[in-house]
Amino acid sequence: MIVKKIAVFILIAGFFSCHKAQQQAACGTQTCTLVFAQIGVHFADFNGSPASVLNFSAINQRTKQSTVPASPTGGPAEPGYYIVADDNGKKDFSTEGDDVVVSGTSPTTGQTKTVTYKISGGCNCHVEKISGETTIVFN
């Protein structure tokens, strides 16, 4: 009876170790931190004060899909700050980086501002902003 249990345990452990090895083979072996990364953008008015926006979007130009993670509260984490991507969507980006068009409209002026970020993910440990403005200012 105990031999059967050991055999089943070894079989299950072998299955999971093979599955893990297949995942590592595609991206190589690397050691990553447990830090959860996110990339965001600050919107500000002409005075530099945080600004809320309408129609906030972030679209990956390679996949034509939104990169904006689902927010439990439905709004920005802090006034004027919007999350463009986080580690939950890392697999949706290429390892080299994808262009992501980030856009928002000022409810005060009606002005729409758009910038392009380059964001990598894929086989990297975390999503990372390669380029793009940190703050978008409405005039």
Side-chain angles (χ1 to χ4, degrees):
M1 179 75 164
I2 200 157
V3 174
K4 280 186 177 182
K5 287 182 181 180
I6 292 172
V8 169
F9 176 78
I10 291 172
L11 183 63
I12 291 171
F15 172 76
F16 284 111
S17 66
C18 288
H19 182 67
K20 188 174 183 179
Q22 289 172 351
Q23 288 177 336
Q24 289 177 346
C27 288
T29 304
Q30 58 184 332
T31 302
C32 297
T33 66
L34 295 176
V35 172
F36 185 80
Q38 67 180 17
I39 298 165
V41 61
H42 290 274
F43 285 91
D45 64 17
F46 61 92
N47 291 321
S49 299
S52 62
V53 298
L54 301 172
N55 305 319
F56 172 72
S57 67
I59 306 296
N60 184 324
Q61 296 303 288
R62 180 179 57 84
T63 65
K64 304 299 183 208
Q65 299 294 313
S66 174
T67 66
V68 178
S71 173
T73 60
E78 61 184 68
Y81 182 77
Y82 293 82
I83 298 171
V84 175
D86 65 23
D87 276 349
N88 285 332
K90 178 180 74 109
K91 68 181 180 351
D92 299 330
F93 296 98
S94 68
T95 303
E96 301 77 28
D98 296 335
D99 288 335
V100 176
V101 174
V102 178
S103 180
T105 302
S106 168
T108 307
T109 65
Q111 181 183 29
T112 299
K113 288 281 194 156
T114 302
V115 297
T116 301
Y117 277 23
K118 187 164 197 108
I119 298 174
S120 65
C123 287
N124 298 324
C125 288
H126 304 285
V127 291
E128 181 180 353
K129 182 176 76 167
I130 298 169
S131 65
E133 297 294 322
T134 303
T135 303
I136 299 173
V137 179
F138 293 110
N139 302 331

